[in-house]
Amino acid sequence: MERRLAAILAADVVGFSRLMEIDEAGTLATLKVRRKEILQPLVAKDRGRIFKVAGDGVLVAFASTVNAVQCAVELQQAMAAANRGQPGSRTIVLRVGINLGDVIVEGTDLYGDGVNIAARLEALAEPGSILVSGAVYDSVKNKIKVAFEDLGAQRLKNIAEPVRAYRLTGTTAVADPTPRTITDKPSIAVLPFTNMSGDPSQEYFSDGIAEDIITELSRSRDLLVIARNSSFQYRGKAVDVKRTGRELGAEYVVEGSVQKAGNRARITAQLITAATGNHLWAERYDRDLEDVFTVQDEVVRTIVTTLVGRVAEGGAEKAKRKPPQLWAAYDHFIRGRAHYHRYDLDAAEAPLRRSIELDPGYAPAYGRLASCLVLKYYTGGQDADLQEALRLAQTAIVLDPHDSCSHWTLAFVYLTMKRLDLAGIHFDRATALNPNDVDASINRGLWFVFMGRGEEALRSLDADLRRDPFPPTYYWEIRGMALFQTRRYEEAIEAFNRMDLLHWWTHCYMVACHAHSGSEAAARADATELLRLKPDFVIDDLERSESYRDPADLEHLKAGLRKVELPG
């Protein structure tokens, strides 16, 4: 295995999927011209070598870090100049990441963490900017006339150790230029409420208040509500409302705080216009804990009334939750839900079961516990977990037929059981009940994949990015599966590489993508990682985890695994 030290430059186009949706032919033509007239001449001038082009992304190797950084600066400057005066559909904005590290050489291709870290830094970069690793900074800091901003140690996806990152300050970060989905609905983001209790262990409570406001606002068909996963990216950060609104695509932002003491809670909430920072409404509530649900309803009703002009028919007024009979049941529910969002399923299970014990009529606790158990089944649980998940999800729907989360949870259980027709019915019901429920919509994308409707899945997932600009990691897994099904292997690999954590079944798709595209060394490397995660793996395990309706789709996956002689 040949190795060498190389400076790797990774670049890709911001909002490429949206540009393609607007004007596929025009976007590809513009990108081709930019590569020929800007990228290739600059790479040649700075003595680099383009070793991979995949969709909107490019990887370039340099023998010199100085040349790599110089090329990146010139590239961003040239792209900015080419964009002047162009319409949005012809504006090509890049993110760039650079790393110096050891790489594996196979023919004309390069692999290894040296490449992977560059790609991860590129994903962190703002549109129009350049990020470099600490190794690059140490190499060039006294050799090139550019300034750097120290971003500290960064946790990068699938990289074991934190990596120091620096942003070049000589290039100007720009807003994402690609047009968003056209809608006449007001768009709103609810940021995580600040925990003012002085006790970090109470953060689950302030998060729970904000999350329930998101859930209730989402039921209004007259609002486009940014998903929790994206708005909660700002927890613990100093928020610039104008910038946050731009990053999330939100016209309005809700901020608040919660202070819990004994059986009392002080909750503040304010509605802000993102473009100006002006306050439209603010209120403070001092209530007993049992009155928290009333406060949440008041906040939701006021926001909807303020933004839409009335409480929408079929919206927030009809969406009032069926509150739990006991305050303690709700408290245990939001504790369990907080663990669930961190994928700590064992820690989530006990408080959710306790919530049900305290209030056997509280539907959300049944639905969330069902979600835990079906995920537990996927990660090596027993058939009994799946059967209990089915009973819990069915009970949740009996208790509250209008709860979107319970419907998509039941749909996911049916999907796992390969009862695809029933899964489709409940996915449709979930998205009809709450068009803003991104969890329901993303998981419905998985149903499209298993039904053999990969292109439809991709269109649906593209729309999900409007409501969730920072989607959960499983979004990229489902997107990768859809791209694999449509034989777009390089794009599928890019999607999988965006995940925070790759499960053994994700590595199955990575192996098959590399194998079908002729990259044998990369396929074998992923096969090694697959067997490390699941030493007893055999190809027939996929009969349990993958619910394809058409056996040919499953055979397509298996065939890729056989190319590297994985056990059957």
Side-chain angles (χ1 to χ4, degrees):
M1 186 178 294
E2 182 185 351
R3 293 180 179 271
R4 70 174 63 151
L5 190 66
I8 304 297
L9 182 155
D12 81 344
V13 177
V14 177
F16 183 68
S17 295
R18 290 197 295 274
L19 289 170
M20 290 287 285
E21 184 178 358
I22 294 166
D23 183 2
E24 183 176 282
T27 297
L28 290 175
T30 302
L31 187 59
K32 184 177 180 180
V33 169
R34 298 288 179 90
R35 282 175 176 162
K36 182 178 179 180
E37 297 182 356
I38 296 177
L39 176 66
Q40 293 172 0
L42 288 176
V43 169
K45 181 180 78 68
D46 289 306
R47 300 181 181 181
R49 178 178 69 85
I50 298 173
F51 65 90
K52 183 172 289 185
V53 175
D56 62 321
V58 63
L59 293 171
V60 188
F62 296 85
S64 160
T65 50
V66 171
N67 285 354
V69 173
Q70 186 62 45
C71 183
V73 172
E74 293 170 343
L75 177 60
Q76 290 288 39
Q77 291 173 343
M79 293 296 284
N83 286 332
R84 293 190 188 108
Q86 295 293 321
S89 59
R90 293 289 186 275
T91 300
I92 303 293
V93 175
L94 299 181
R95 293 184 179 92
V96 176
I98 307 174
N99 180 48
L100 173 66
D102 197 49
V103 297
I104 301 168
V105 182
E106 183 190 338
T108 60
D109 213 344
L110 303 177
Y111 299 97
D113 279 354
V115 177
N116 295 339
I117 290 173
R120 299 298 183 268
L121 289 170
E122 171 267 302
L124 285 179
E126 294 179 325
S129 70
I130 302 167
L131 293 191
V132 305
S133 66
V136 173
Y137 171 77
D138 291 339
S139 177
V140 306
K141 60 185 177 181
N142 297 320
K143 301 174 185 175
I144 188 170
K145 293 182 179 179
V146 293
F148 293 92
E149 177 187 355
D150 187 351
L151 303 181
Q154 300 289 320
R155 285 281 182 185
L156 304 181
K157 298 176 183 178
N158 301 326
I159 303 298
E161 298 295 326
V163 174
R164 284 187 303 136
Y166 295 81
R167 178 188 293 115
L168 269 76
T169 59
T171 57
T172 303
V174 299
D176 183 342
T178 53
R180 302 284 183 176
T181 302
I182 296 173
T183 175
D184 56 359
K185 298 179 182 179
S187 54
I188 185 168
V190 180
L191 301 183
F193 279 27
T194 303
N195 172 26
M196 302 293 289
S197 302
D199 179 0
S201 68
Q202 294 298 312
E203 190 170 90
Y204 81 92
F205 182 74
S206 54
D207 283 355
I209 298 296
E211 184 170 347
D212 281 342
I213 291 173
I214 292 172
T215 299
E216 297 308 308
L217 282 175
S218 294
R219 299 180 193 271
S220 172
R221 294 178 178 275
D222 291 315
L223 294 176
L224 192 153
V225 183
I226 304 301
R228 171 200 181 280
N229 184 75
S230 287
S231 58
F232 271 47
Q233 298 278 332
Y234 297 88
R235 181 200 282 114
K237 298 180 181 179
V239 173
D240 178 333
V241 170
K242 295 181 181 179
R243 178 176 177 179
T244 300
R246 288 196 303 270
E247 291 175 345
L248 293 174
E251 299 169 76
Y252 303 94
V253 172
V254 177
E255 289 185 323
S257 65
V258 178
Q259 185 173 4
K260 179 182 173 188
N263 67 342
R264 299 282 295 180
R266 172 175 292 177
I267 301 171
T268 65
Q270 50 193 6
L271 178 64
I272 305 168
T273 303
T276 63
N278 293 334
H279 287 67
L280 295 177
W281 163 81
E283 188 60 84
R284 187 179 75 177
Y285 305 86
D286 287 292
R287 301 288 178 85
D288 291 334
L289 290 177
E290 287 78 5
D291 294 331
V292 164
F293 311 112
T294 302
V295 171
Q296 289 172 343
D297 284 336
E298 287 182 22
V299 170
V300 170
R301 187 162 53 250
T302 302
I303 290 170
V304 174
T305 303
T306 301
L307 297 186
V308 183
R310 59 185 177 83
V311 177
E313 177 66 20
E317 191 66 37
K318 286 176 64 177
K320 288 183 179 178
R321 71 173 59 78
K322 297 179 178 179
Q325 296 302 308
L326 298 172
W327 161 255
Y330 177 71
D331 189 66
H332 280 90
F333 168 71
I334 58 177
R335 286 176 188 269
R337 185 173 62 184
H339 288 300
Y340 172 85
H341 285 313
R342 294 192 291 269
Y343 295 100
D344 191 349
L345 303 181
D346 290 336
E349 191 171 334
L352 290 171
R353 290 191 184 279
R354 181 59 177 155
S355 178
I356 292 171
E357 289 176 8
L358 291 170
D359 186 355
Y362 189 39
Y366 289 87
R368 192 63 66 176
L369 181 56
S371 298
C372 285
L373 292 175
V374 74
L375 289 177
K376 182 178 177 181
Y377 171 82
Y378 262 107
T379 54
Q382 305 301 313
D383 288 344
D385 295 318
L386 186 59
Q387 293 300 323
E388 186 180 6
L390 175 62
R391 292 194 297 273
L392 288 164
Q394 289 173 331
T395 301
I397 288 175
V398 169
L399 291 171
D400 187 355
H402 303 293
D403 182 54
S404 170
C405 180
S406 296
H407 276 282
W408 76 252
T409 299
L410 180 57
F412 194 75
V413 173
Y414 281 137
L415 189 67
T416 306
M417 301 175 75
K418 299 181 172 59
R419 300 169 70 175
L420 297 180
D421 290 336
L422 285 173
I425 290 171
H426 287 282
F427 276 129
D428 288 346
R429 182 65 176 150
T431 53
L433 283 168
N434 188 346
N436 286 296
D437 190 338
V438 176
D439 285 324
S441 183
I442 292 175
N443 280 285
R444 188 169 179 241
L446 180 61
W447 177 76
F448 281 132
V449 171
F450 285 147
M451 290 292 288
R453 296 155 62 178
E455 293 291 352
E456 196 168 349
L458 290 170
R459 289 194 295 272
S460 176
L461 292 167
D462 284 343
D464 291 332
L465 280 178
R466 172 64 182 98
R467 292 186 296 272
D468 200 350
F470 302 101
T473 189
Y474 69 85
Y475 169 91
W476 299 109
E477 181 171 46
I478 296 172
R479 187 177 190 86
M481 293 170 66
L483 290 163
F484 173 78
Q485 186 180 70
T486 55
R487 276 56 172 177
R488 293 155 64 178
Y489 303 121
E490 294 295 336
E491 292 176 73
I493 292 168
E494 289 179 20
F496 291 130
N497 279 332
R498 289 177 177 264
M499 295 179 64
D500 295 321
L501 175 67
L502 275 68
H503 302 285
W504 65 263
W505 58 82
T506 319
H507 280 287
C508 290
Y509 283 92
M510 292 282 280
V511 170
C513 283
H514 286 302
H516 283 309
S517 60
S519 301
E520 182 178 347
R524 292 192 179 280
D526 271 301
T528 299
E529 182 64 13
L530 165 59
L531 293 175
R532 184 188 71 80
L533 293 171
K534 187 172 174 59
D536 61 344
F537 172 78
V538 293
I539 292 175
D540 283 345
D541 286 338
L542 298 171
E543 297 285 349
R544 166 174 162 148
S545 65
E546 309 308 295
S547 302
Y548 288 105
R549 166 159 285 183
D550 186 348
D553 284 325
L554 183 58
E555 180 56 32
H556 175 217
L557 176 58
K558 288 182 173 181
L561 304 184
R562 294 192 191 103
K563 290 186 178 185
V564 293
E565 301 174 345
L566 280 164

